[in-house]
Amino acid sequence: IQTVSKSPSTTTITSDAPDPSVFGQTFPVTFTVVAAPPGAGTPTGNVIVTASGGPETCTGTVAAGTCNIKLSGVGIRTLTATYQSDANFLSSSDTEAHQVDKANTTTTVTAVPASPSTFGQSVTFTATIAIQAPGAGPPNPTGTVSFNIDGNLYCVNTPINASLQATCTQAGLPALPAGLRDVVALYGGDGNYNGSAGDINYTVNKANTTTSIVSDLPDPSLVNQPYTVTWTVVPTPAQVNSG
């Protein structure tokens, strides 16, 4: 009677490109599984790829030689490809270091009312943060946004909400002077995402005014008699700052 033992196998990670990847990016891990001497033949079955420091995993067949994995932890990760064995071949594994960088973001700025507004009118600026492909959530970006208007900071470190937006309302702004204003939203980033900035040119028009003579006393006056004229100049009521 002769006992035939399972043959040893050799598993090799042949590619984990792109390396580095970015937070949330899905990329392929390719591998080979072959019989190790003195064994011969073709291993079958599955290979499971795991990553250190997280629950991420993917599974591919030996025949396919690849599986796609998504890593969500920034830093150096260790990929481990483990062949699960079959009826004729023993399990084996290989490791490969893989760098995960922060994902990039984009920031856009919108205003209500849209440009132009009128001097003294309440204005709200909103910054919206988006993840730039190939990065992806979850989790989504967190952190704060500050608004730079003509070189001055307002609404400093305003938190991003669940909709990935931060707003700067009239309560945090001065009355914007008439003219072309440069509004920049500065997202500071977080542990998983790089910061970004977005800007708009926003026009503030001069406000209309109403001039009223309130008195001209004495009235009647005499020829050559000095008298006093009193007047008021006020913004048109619809344009008075309501914030």
Side-chain angles (χ1 to χ4, degrees):
I1 298 174
Q2 181 173 353
T3 300
V4 179
S5 300
K6 288 186 178 184
S7 171
S9 65
T10 300
T11 298
T12 305
I13 295 175
T14 58
S15 174
D16 57 325
D19 184 7
S21 60
V22 297
F23 179 84
Q25 180 178 5
T26 299
F27 62 92
V29 178
T30 60
F31 47 80
T32 60
V33 181
V34 297
T42 302
T44 61
N46 295 327
V47 172
I48 297 177
V49 177
T50 59
S52 62
E56 301 95 344
T57 184
C58 69
T59 301
T61 65
V62 173
T66 186
C67 67
N68 295 321
I69 193 167
K70 174 181 175 179
L71 299 184
S72 57
V74 171
I76 298 178
R77 310 290 297 278
T78 299
L79 300 175
T80 301
T82 302
Y83 170 54
Q84 298 297 289
S85 81
D86 64 8
N88 299 314
F89 291 90
L90 296 171
S91 174
S92 59
S93 65
D94 187 29
T95 60
E96 181 74 22
H98 184 92
Q99 175 70 35
V100 181
D101 291 339
K102 292 183 179 182
N104 290 326
T105 61
T106 58
T107 298
T108 56
V109 188
T110 56
V112 176
S115 181
S117 64
T118 303
F119 177 76
Q121 186 174 5
S122 177
V123 181
T124 296
F125 295 107
T126 299
T128 301
I129 313 303
I131 304 170
Q132 186 172 319
N140 286 324
T142 59
T144 62
V145 172
S146 298
F147 292 81
N148 185 312
I149 303 176
D150 296 334
N152 299 305
L153 287 177
Y154 302 99
C155 301
V156 176
N157 295 332
T158 301
I160 299 170
N161 61 25
S163 299
L164 301 185
Q165 293 182 327
T167 60
C168 188
T169 65
Q170 191 66 26
L173 291 170
L176 297 178
L180 183 63
R181 310 270 68 88
D182 182 31
V183 182
V184 182
L186 304 166
Y187 168 53
D190 63 13
N192 298 318
Y193 295 95
N194 290 315
S196 56
D199 71 299
I200 59 171
N201 291 323
Y202 189 82
T203 298
V204 180
N205 290 334
K206 292 182 178 181
N208 292 325
T209 59
T210 301
T211 301
S212 302
I213 295 176
V214 296
S215 69
D216 54 337
L217 298 175
D219 182 11
S221 61
L222 301 176
V223 174
N224 292 327
Q225 178 185 0
Y227 62 94
T228 301
V229 178
T230 303
W231 64 85
T232 60
V233 181
V234 296
T236 300
Q239 298 166 335
V240 172
N241 188 339
S242 60

